Amino acid sequence: MADTALPADAVVVARLRARDETMFAALIDAWSPAMLRAARAYVADEHTAQDVVQEAWLGVLRGIDGFQEASSLRTWVYRILINKAKTRGVRDARTVPGLGVTDDDHGPTVDPARFRGADDPYPGHWRSSPPAWPSPEDGALAAETRRQLADALAGLPARQRVVVTLRDVAGHSSDEVCELLSISAANQRVLLHRGRAALRAVLEQHWVKEATA
Amino acid sequence: MNCDEFVELVTAYLEGALPAETERRFVEHLAECDGCDRYLDQIRTTVRNLGHLPAQGLASDARDRLLAAFRDWPAT
Ligand SMILES: [Zn+2]
Protein backbone atom coordinates (compact mmCIF):
# COMPACT_ATOMS: atom_id res chain seq x y z
CA MET A 1 0.00 0.00 0.00
CA ALA A 2 1.11 3.50 -0.70
CA ASP A 3 0.95 4.56 2.95
CA THR A 4 3.47 2.09 4.35
CA ALA A 5 5.86 5.01 4.73
CA LEU A 6 3.49 6.89 7.05
CA PRO A 7 4.11 6.76 10.80
CA ALA A 8 1.60 5.24 13.26
CA ASP A 9 -1.82 6.89 13.60
CA ALA A 10 -1.02 8.47 16.97
CA VAL A 11 2.04 10.18 15.50
CA VAL A 12 0.20 11.38 12.40
CA VAL A 13 -2.69 12.75 14.47
CA ALA A 14 -0.36 14.51 16.90
CA ARG A 15 1.50 16.16 14.03
CA LEU A 16 -1.70 17.26 12.32
CA ARG A 17 -2.91 18.78 15.59
CA ALA A 18 0.44 20.55 15.86
CA ARG A 19 -0.31 21.88 12.33
CA ASP A 20 2.64 20.13 10.72
CA GLU A 21 2.03 20.97 7.06
CA THR A 22 4.56 18.41 5.78
CA MET A 23 2.56 15.68 7.51
CA PHE A 24 -0.70 16.88 5.99
CA ALA A 25 0.89 17.00 2.52
CA ALA A 26 2.28 13.46 2.94
CA LEU A 27 -1.15 12.18 3.96
CA ILE A 28 -2.90 13.87 1.05
CA ASP A 29 -0.38 12.47 -1.40
CA ALA A 30 -0.49 8.94 0.02
CA TRP A 31 -4.26 8.54 0.29
CA SER A 32 -5.85 10.74 -2.37
CA PRO A 33 -5.32 8.36 -5.35
CA ALA A 34 -7.33 5.53 -3.76
CA MET A 35 -9.85 8.04 -2.34
CA LEU A 36 -10.42 9.37 -5.86
CA ARG A 37 -11.13 5.87 -7.14
CA ALA A 38 -13.57 5.22 -4.28
CA ALA A 39 -15.34 8.58 -4.76
CA ARG A 40 -15.60 7.95 -8.50
CA ALA A 41 -17.96 5.02 -7.86
CA TYR A 42 -20.50 7.46 -6.38
CA VAL A 43 -20.31 10.49 -8.66
CA ALA A 44 -20.71 11.22 -12.35
CA ASP A 45 -17.20 12.18 -13.40
CA GLU A 46 -13.57 12.59 -12.50
CA HIS A 47 -13.94 16.31 -11.87
CA THR A 48 -16.67 15.75 -9.27
CA ALA A 49 -14.57 13.03 -7.63
CA GLN A 50 -11.76 15.60 -7.28
CA ASP A 51 -14.22 17.99 -5.59
CA VAL A 52 -15.45 15.28 -3.24
CA VAL A 53 -11.94 14.29 -2.17
CA GLN A 54 -11.06 17.93 -1.60
CA GLU A 55 -14.20 18.39 0.54
CA ALA A 56 -13.32 15.25 2.45
CA TRP A 57 -9.86 16.61 3.32
CA LEU A 58 -11.45 19.84 4.51
CA GLY A 59 -13.73 17.69 6.68
CA VAL A 60 -10.63 15.99 8.06
CA LEU A 61 -9.19 19.38 8.87
CA ARG A 62 -12.39 20.38 10.69
CA GLY A 63 -12.55 17.14 12.62
CA ILE A 64 -8.94 16.27 13.41
CA ASP A 65 -8.80 18.05 16.78
CA GLY A 66 -11.81 16.04 17.94
CA PHE A 67 -10.78 12.73 16.34
CA GLN A 68 -11.08 9.85 18.80
CA GLU A 69 -8.96 6.84 18.05
CA ALA A 70 -11.80 4.36 18.23
CA SER A 71 -11.23 3.52 14.58
CA SER A 72 -8.09 3.80 12.49
CA LEU A 73 -7.34 7.24 11.09
CA ARG A 74 -7.78 5.93 7.57
CA THR A 75 -11.19 4.43 8.28
CA TRP A 76 -12.26 7.72 9.84
CA VAL A 77 -11.04 9.64 6.78
CA TYR A 78 -12.92 7.24 4.48
CA ARG A 79 -16.09 7.61 6.53
CA ILE A 80 -15.93 11.34 5.85
CA LEU A 81 -15.17 10.67 2.19
CA ILE A 82 -18.07 8.27 1.67
CA ASN A 83 -20.50 10.67 3.37
CA LYS A 84 -19.36 13.51 1.10
CA ALA A 85 -19.51 11.28 -1.98
CA LYS A 86 -23.02 10.06 -1.17
CA THR A 87 -24.27 13.59 -0.53
CA ARG A 88 -22.78 14.75 -3.79
CA GLY A 89 -24.18 11.77 -5.68
CA VAL A 90 -27.67 12.52 -4.36
CA ARG A 91 -27.38 16.22 -5.14
CA ASP A 92 -26.38 15.41 -8.71
CA ALA A 93 -29.31 12.98 -8.95
CA ARG A 94 -26.95 10.08 -9.40
CA THR A 95 -28.09 6.72 -8.17
CA VAL A 96 -25.94 6.11 -5.15
CA PRO A 97 -24.83 2.50 -5.31
CA GLY A 98 -27.09 0.31 -3.26
CA LEU A 99 -24.79 -2.02 -1.42
CA GLY A 100 -27.09 -4.96 -1.08
CA VAL A 101 -26.51 -8.09 -3.08
CA THR A 102 -28.78 -8.09 -6.14
CA ASP A 103 -29.79 -10.62 -8.79
CA ASP A 104 -26.61 -9.73 -10.66
CA ASP A 105 -24.60 -11.08 -7.78
CA HIS A 106 -25.66 -14.69 -8.14
CA GLY A 107 -24.64 -17.39 -10.55
CA PRO A 108 -21.19 -18.60 -11.58
CA THR A 109 -18.26 -16.15 -11.73
CA VAL A 110 -16.44 -18.31 -14.26
CA ASP A 111 -18.11 -19.23 -17.57
CA PRO A 112 -19.65 -22.72 -17.06
CA ALA A 113 -18.45 -23.63 -20.58
CA ARG A 114 -14.91 -23.67 -19.16
CA PHE A 115 -15.78 -26.81 -17.18
CA ARG A 116 -16.53 -30.37 -18.35
CA GLY A 117 -20.18 -31.43 -18.58
CA ALA A 118 -22.13 -34.00 -16.63
CA ASP A 119 -21.46 -36.72 -19.23
CA ASP A 120 -17.69 -36.33 -18.93
CA PRO A 121 -15.65 -38.69 -16.72
CA TYR A 122 -14.51 -35.57 -14.81
CA PRO A 123 -17.61 -33.39 -14.58
CA GLY A 124 -17.05 -29.89 -13.19
CA HIS A 125 -13.32 -29.95 -13.95
CA TRP A 126 -11.52 -27.53 -16.24
CA ARG A 127 -11.76 -28.45 -19.93
CA SER A 128 -8.35 -26.87 -20.16
CA SER A 129 -6.46 -24.97 -17.47
CA PRO A 130 -6.66 -21.17 -17.48
CA PRO A 131 -3.89 -19.96 -19.81
CA ALA A 132 -0.72 -18.76 -18.11
CA TRP A 133 -0.11 -15.01 -17.88
CA PRO A 134 3.17 -13.38 -18.88
CA SER A 135 5.82 -13.05 -16.24
CA PRO A 136 5.22 -10.10 -13.90
CA GLU A 137 8.95 -9.33 -13.77
CA ASP A 138 8.65 -7.38 -17.00
CA GLY A 139 8.06 -3.77 -15.97
CA ALA A 140 6.25 -2.75 -19.16
CA LEU A 141 3.88 -5.71 -18.86
CA ALA A 142 3.17 -4.85 -15.23
CA ALA A 143 2.30 -1.28 -16.24
CA GLU A 144 0.03 -2.58 -19.02
CA THR A 145 -1.65 -5.00 -16.58
CA ARG A 146 -2.37 -2.16 -14.17
CA ARG A 147 -3.79 0.07 -16.89
CA GLN A 148 -6.11 -2.74 -17.99
CA LEU A 149 -7.08 -3.36 -14.39
CA ALA A 150 -7.86 0.31 -13.70
CA ASP A 151 -10.19 0.39 -16.73
CA ALA A 152 -11.85 -2.88 -15.75
CA LEU A 153 -12.39 -1.67 -12.19
CA ALA A 154 -14.12 1.43 -13.52
CA GLY A 155 -16.45 -0.85 -15.50
CA LEU A 156 -17.62 -2.96 -12.54
CA PRO A 157 -21.13 -2.52 -11.10
CA ALA A 158 -20.85 0.31 -8.56
CA ARG A 159 -21.36 -1.80 -5.45
CA GLN A 160 -18.63 -4.27 -6.49
CA ARG A 161 -16.41 -1.38 -7.49
CA VAL A 162 -16.74 0.28 -4.09
CA VAL A 163 -15.95 -2.90 -2.17
CA VAL A 164 -12.97 -3.89 -4.37
CA THR A 165 -11.61 -0.34 -4.22
CA LEU A 166 -11.87 -0.13 -0.44
CA ARG A 167 -10.38 -3.60 0.08
CA ASP A 168 -7.79 -4.11 -2.63
CA VAL A 169 -6.90 -0.62 -3.81
CA ALA A 170 -7.08 1.24 -0.49
CA GLY A 171 -6.20 -1.73 1.70
CA HIS A 172 -8.96 -1.74 4.31
CA SER A 173 -9.78 -4.93 6.24
CA SER A 174 -13.10 -6.69 5.69
CA ASP A 175 -14.30 -5.51 9.14
CA GLU A 176 -13.50 -1.92 8.22
CA VAL A 177 -15.35 -2.17 4.90
CA CYS A 178 -18.42 -3.71 6.56
CA GLU A 179 -18.42 -0.84 9.05
CA LEU A 180 -17.83 1.87 6.42
CA LEU A 181 -20.60 0.62 4.13
CA SER A 182 -22.94 -0.82 6.79
CA ILE A 183 -23.08 -4.21 5.09
CA SER A 184 -22.81 -7.73 6.47
CA ALA A 185 -19.61 -9.76 6.24
CA ALA A 186 -21.39 -12.18 3.91
CA ASN A 187 -22.48 -9.40 1.52
CA GLN A 188 -19.05 -7.85 1.58
CA ARG A 189 -17.52 -11.17 0.62
CA VAL A 190 -19.98 -11.81 -2.22
CA LEU A 191 -19.33 -8.37 -3.74
CA LEU A 192 -15.56 -8.72 -3.33
CA HIS A 193 -15.60 -12.20 -4.83
CA ARG A 194 -17.62 -11.22 -7.87
CA GLY A 195 -15.56 -8.10 -8.45
CA ARG A 196 -12.22 -9.89 -8.21
CA ALA A 197 -13.38 -12.76 -10.43
CA ALA A 198 -14.61 -10.31 -13.08
CA LEU A 199 -11.30 -8.43 -12.99
CA ARG A 200 -9.29 -11.64 -13.31
CA ALA A 201 -11.44 -12.59 -16.32
CA VAL A 202 -10.74 -9.23 -17.98
CA LEU A 203 -6.99 -9.71 -17.54
CA GLU A 204 -7.26 -13.23 -18.91
CA GLN A 205 -9.11 -12.01 -22.02
CA HIS A 206 -6.49 -9.33 -22.46
CA TRP A 207 -3.57 -11.76 -22.34
CA VAL A 208 -5.31 -14.26 -24.63
CA LYS A 209 -5.93 -11.51 -27.17
CA GLU A 210 -2.32 -10.34 -26.91
CA ALA A 211 -1.05 -13.90 -27.40
CA THR A 212 -3.08 -14.40 -30.58
CA ALA A 213 -2.53 -10.90 -32.00
CA MET B 1 -14.23 -30.99 -4.81
CA ASN B 2 -14.75 -29.99 -8.45
CA CYS B 3 -13.07 -27.05 -10.15
CA ASP B 4 -16.36 -25.20 -10.69
CA GLU B 5 -16.97 -25.31 -6.93
CA PHE B 6 -13.36 -24.37 -6.14
CA VAL B 7 -13.43 -21.14 -8.14
CA GLU B 8 -16.47 -19.90 -6.18
CA LEU B 9 -14.74 -20.49 -2.82
CA VAL B 10 -11.49 -18.67 -3.60
CA THR B 11 -12.42 -15.42 -1.85
CA ALA B 12 -13.83 -17.14 1.24
CA TYR B 13 -10.59 -19.16 1.37
CA LEU B 14 -8.39 -16.06 1.12
CA GLU B 15 -10.54 -14.38 3.81
CA GLY B 16 -10.10 -17.37 6.11
CA ALA B 17 -13.87 -17.71 6.16
CA LEU B 18 -14.30 -21.33 5.01
CA PRO B 19 -15.64 -23.91 7.48
CA ALA B 20 -12.82 -26.29 8.49
CA GLU B 21 -14.17 -29.25 6.52
CA THR B 22 -14.64 -27.20 3.33
CA GLU B 23 -11.20 -25.68 3.72
CA ARG B 24 -9.69 -29.15 3.99
CA ARG B 25 -11.40 -30.22 0.73
CA PHE B 26 -10.35 -26.92 -0.90
CA VAL B 27 -6.68 -27.38 0.00
CA GLU B 28 -6.75 -31.04 -1.09
CA HIS B 29 -8.13 -30.04 -4.46
CA LEU B 30 -5.58 -27.25 -4.77
CA ALA B 31 -2.76 -29.75 -4.22
CA GLU B 32 -3.86 -31.99 -7.09
CA CYS B 33 -5.27 -29.55 -9.68
CA ASP B 34 -2.93 -27.43 -11.80
CA GLY B 35 -5.82 -25.44 -13.30
CA CYS B 36 -7.17 -24.35 -9.92
CA ASP B 37 -3.67 -23.70 -8.60
CA ARG B 38 -3.19 -21.31 -11.52
CA TYR B 39 -6.65 -19.77 -11.04
CA LEU B 40 -5.95 -19.00 -7.37
CA ASP B 41 -2.55 -17.61 -8.30
CA GLN B 42 -4.14 -15.32 -10.92
CA ILE B 43 -6.67 -14.04 -8.38
CA ARG B 44 -3.77 -13.25 -6.03
CA THR B 45 -1.92 -11.51 -8.88
CA THR B 46 -5.05 -9.48 -9.63
CA VAL B 47 -5.38 -8.41 -5.99
CA ARG B 48 -1.68 -7.55 -5.75
CA ASN B 49 -1.86 -5.38 -8.87
CA LEU B 50 -4.95 -3.57 -7.55
CA GLY B 51 -2.72 -2.35 -4.72
CA HIS B 52 -0.43 -0.75 -7.31
CA LEU B 53 -2.73 0.92 -9.81
CA PRO B 54 -1.32 3.95 -11.63
CA ALA B 55 -1.49 6.67 -8.96
CA GLN B 56 -3.42 9.70 -10.02
CA GLY B 57 -3.55 12.20 -7.20
CA LEU B 58 -5.37 15.42 -6.50
CA ALA B 59 -5.01 18.15 -9.08
CA SER B 60 -2.16 20.41 -8.04
CA ASP B 61 -4.38 23.50 -7.61
CA ALA B 62 -6.70 21.55 -5.29
CA ARG B 63 -3.68 20.30 -3.36
CA ASP B 64 -2.36 23.85 -3.05
CA ARG B 65 -5.74 25.09 -1.78
CA LEU B 66 -5.85 22.37 0.86
CA LEU B 67 -2.36 23.13 2.08
CA ALA B 68 -3.24 26.84 2.25
CA ALA B 69 -6.40 26.01 4.24
CA PHE B 70 -4.31 23.86 6.56
CA ARG B 71 -1.79 26.63 7.06
CA ASP B 72 -4.53 29.11 7.97
CA TRP B 73 -6.45 26.70 10.19
CA PRO B 74 -6.46 28.05 13.75
CA ALA B 75 -4.82 25.85 16.37
CA THR B 76 -7.15 24.93 19.22
ZN1 LIG C 1 -9.54 -27.80 -10.08
Side-chain angles (χ1 to χ4, degrees):
Chain A
M1 256 2 83
D3 56 329
T4 44
L6 292 173
D9 276 7
V11 176
V12 175
V13 171
R15 286 196 196 161
L16 292 179
R17 285 175 179 161
R19 303 297 183 257
D20 175 345
E21 188 181 328
T22 314
M23 188 73 254
F24 191 55
L27 206 58
I28 289 178
D29 292 342
W31 289 357
S32 292
M35 288 167 72
L36 283 163
R37 288 187 196 282
R40 189 64 189 76
Y42 289 87
V43 300
D45 54 39
E46 182 62 34
H47 181 79
T48 314
Q50 287 269 343
D51 280 356
V52 165
V53 171
Q54 201 183 165
E55 283 173 29
W57 283 118
L58 288 172
V60 168
L61 200 47
R62 271 191 293 277
I64 193 66
D65 290 337
F67 168 70
Q68 316 239 331
E69 287 171 48
S71 57
S72 76
L73 178 66
R74 193 178 49 183
T75 303
W76 177 72
V77 170
Y78 270 80
R79 192 172 306 120
I80 296 173
L81 174 77
I82 287 171
N83 284 335
K84 301 276 181 204
K86 277 186 182 165
T87 306
R88 186 59 182 259
V90 169
R91 200 170 81 206
D92 296 353
R94 284 261 305 175
T95 314
V96 173
L99 289 161
V101 169
T102 74
D103 286 351
D104 297 347
D105 299 315
H106 296 284
T109 58
V110 177
D111 182 357
R114 300 288 294 275
F115 302 106
R116 296 164 192 261
D119 51 352
D120 189 280
Y122 298 100
H125 287 248
W126 296 101
R127 285 186 193 279
S128 59
S129 288
W133 293 354
S135 158
E137 280 92 68
D138 183 322
L141 283 179
E144 173 61 14
T145 300
R146 288 164 192 174
R147 257 196 310 279
Q148 291 286 332
L149 209 46
D151 288 350
L153 179 63
L156 286 181
R159 60 199 181 284
Q160 293 177 18
R161 180 179 179 179
V162 171
V163 170
V164 171
T165 302
L166 293 177
R167 284 295 308 275
D168 295 339
V169 181
H172 289 95
S173 70
S174 63
D175 286 350
E176 288 169 337
V177 173
C178 290
E179 190 202 322
L180 278 170
L181 302 177
S182 307
I183 56 176
S184 69
N187 273 9
Q188 192 264 169
R189 200 156 57 238
V190 168
L191 294 170
L192 181 66
H193 178 66
R194 302 197 74 82
R196 284 177 176 175
L199 295 176
R200 190 213 68 92
V202 169
L203 288 183
E204 177 176 85
Q205 277 168 10
H206 171 70
W207 292 127
V208 167
K209 209 166 60 195
E210 289 285 299
T212 56
Chain B
M1 182 174 291
N2 292 341
C3 306
D4 56 357
E5 184 185 357
F6 180 100
V7 296
E8 301 304 343
L9 296 176
V10 160
T11 304
Y13 170 73
L14 293 174
E15 301 272 276
L18 285 180
E21 166 60 15
T22 313
E23 180 169 288
R24 189 184 58 74
R25 292 194 302 122
F26 183 96
V27 171
E28 275 174 15
H29 183 86
L30 180 62
E32 65 192 20
C33 179
D34 291 344
C36 286
D37 184 52
R38 179 172 286 165
Y39 185 88
L40 179 62
D41 192 49
Q42 290 178 347
I43 289 283
R44 285 196 165 114
T45 300
T46 303
V47 172
R48 202 166 44 243
N49 277 294
L50 282 166
H52 296 92
L53 292 185
Q56 199 200 350
L58 272 181
S60 61
D61 56 336
R63 186 179 182 278
D64 291 346
R65 273 197 299 278
L66 282 172
L67 291 179
F70 186 82
R71 218 170 292 135
D72 296 339
W73 205 263
T76 46

